[in-house]
Amino acid sequence: DSGVTQTPKHLITATGQRVTLRCSPRSGDLSVYWYQQSLDQGLQFLIQYYNGEERAKGNILERFSAQQFPDLHSELNLSSLELGDSALYFCASSVGWVTYNEQFFGPGTRLTVL
Amino acid sequence: AQKITQTQPGMFVQEKEAVTLDCTYDTSDPSYGLFWYKQPSSGEMIFLIYQGSYDQQNATEGRYSLNFQKARKSANLVISASQLGDSAMYFCAMREFNTGNQFYFGTGTSLTVIP
């Protein structure tokens, strides 16, 4: 158990809908990262937050948004969902914002868009 | 051009033998980090090892070591004394620190350890 929690574990929804994925980092970790893993695109970095502020942005679509709250949990919002958004979404956390700190991954949220 | 290239889609190794998983990268940023991750069939992602571009020595973590050849832009993962539990997908990744801090991942290498 990495100490990073993600909810829900599985999510099935329809095209055009909006969903929210939640991540709680390990106790003491200030950075949260979001990644998407799909068969088509492979592993992609989406975004990183550190202590509530956005620190790095990857291939995150405009239909997606994220935030990190004062209690350090993070949410990834996916809207106007398309079939191609079906993927495993990982969250990871680390102590610092520069990633020579070890990253700890959550179990992922499997999103299926029908 | 691909930022990270993993040319071995699948590899086999005998238990207790060492294995090298290849990774080459492409960047003009002088400040970058290289990472390896393991993903077993159960799906979780596990961070294995990190090497910074300015690090003088190759990174090691237990049975994992990173063979960093800067001039060749390669960052191969060496697993010594392979165990059955090492069977998994392995991903190489890079982060460019001066150009947006984005991560780039390779397509992965599937390693199977044979008893």
Side-chain angles (χ1 to χ4, degrees):
Chain A
D1 184 352
S2 67
V4 178
T5 60
Q6 288 187 252
T7 56
K9 206 169 174 59
H10 300 278
L11 199 47
I12 302 173
T13 188
T15 54
Q17 294 299 303
R18 174 189 167 95
V19 297
T20 297
L21 312 185
R22 184 188 167 104
C23 169
S24 292
R26 283 189 333 151
S27 176
D29 285 358
L30 299 178
S31 263
V32 169
Y33 311 78
W34 287 97
Y35 301 90
Q36 179 197 59
Q37 186 177 30
S38 66
L39 287 174
D40 290 344
Q41 305 283 340
L43 258 171
Q44 292 202 90
F45 166 68
L46 297 178
I47 200 163
Q48 178 195 2
Y49 280 85
Y50 175 77
N51 205 20
E53 291 190 12
E54 184 185 303
R55 280 290 180 163
K57 208 165 189 174
N59 297 326
I60 187 164
L61 300 171
E62 283 193 17
R63 301 183 285 108
F64 296 3
S65 65
Q67 56 184 322
Q68 187 180 28
F69 293 87
D71 68 352
L72 300 176
H73 91 272
S74 178
E75 292 180 358
L76 179 67
N77 300 296
L78 316 177
S79 62
S80 303
L81 284 168
E82 302 175 0
L83 296 177
D85 297 328
S86 295
L88 184 57
Y89 290 85
F90 285 109
C91 140
S93 73
S94 67
V95 169
W97 79 268
V98 183
T99 41
Y100 44 76
N101 305 125
E102 182 173 355
Q103 292 174 292
F104 296 87
F105 283 79
T109 292
R110 171 77 63 187
L111 173 66
T112 304
V113 182
L114 300 174
Chain B
Q2 290 286 340
K3 288 281 190 181
I4 293 285
T5 303
Q6 294 181 255
T7 56
Q8 307 153 314
M11 289 279 287
F12 292 87
V13 64
Q14 206 74 39
E15 198 178 2
K16 298 185 182 131
E17 298 290 311
V19 63
T20 298
L21 307 184
D22 294 342
C23 173
T24 56
Y25 59 92
D26 182 30
T27 183
S28 55
D29 189 335
S31 181
Y32 55 90
L34 297 156
F35 306 78
W36 278 92
Y37 301 89
K38 172 184 178 182
Q39 188 175 36
S41 58
S42 51
E44 76 264 31
M45 193 69 70
I46 303 164
F47 166 90
L48 292 178
I49 197 165
Y50 168 86
Q51 179 87 42
S53 59
Y54 295 118
D55 293 343
Q56 296 295 314
Q57 297 200 339
N58 287 343
T60 59
E61 288 289 344
R63 294 186 299 110
Y64 304 108
S65 60
L66 200 151
N67 185 0
F68 181 44
Q69 298 190 47
K70 200 168 180 176
R72 290 186 173 186
K73 293 190 174 176
S74 81
N76 298 339
L77 178 71
V78 181
I79 305 175
S80 63
S82 296
Q83 301 172 355
L84 295 177
D86 294 334
S87 293
M89 281 290 288
Y90 288 81
F91 293 95
C92 177
M94 174 179 67
R95 191 174 202 188
E96 295 172 325
F97 293 125
N98 289 333
T99 42
N101 284 307
Q102 228 202 105
F103 278 92
Y104 301 93
F105 286 87
T107 51
T109 295
S110 175
L111 177 67
T112 303
V113 180
I114 304 164

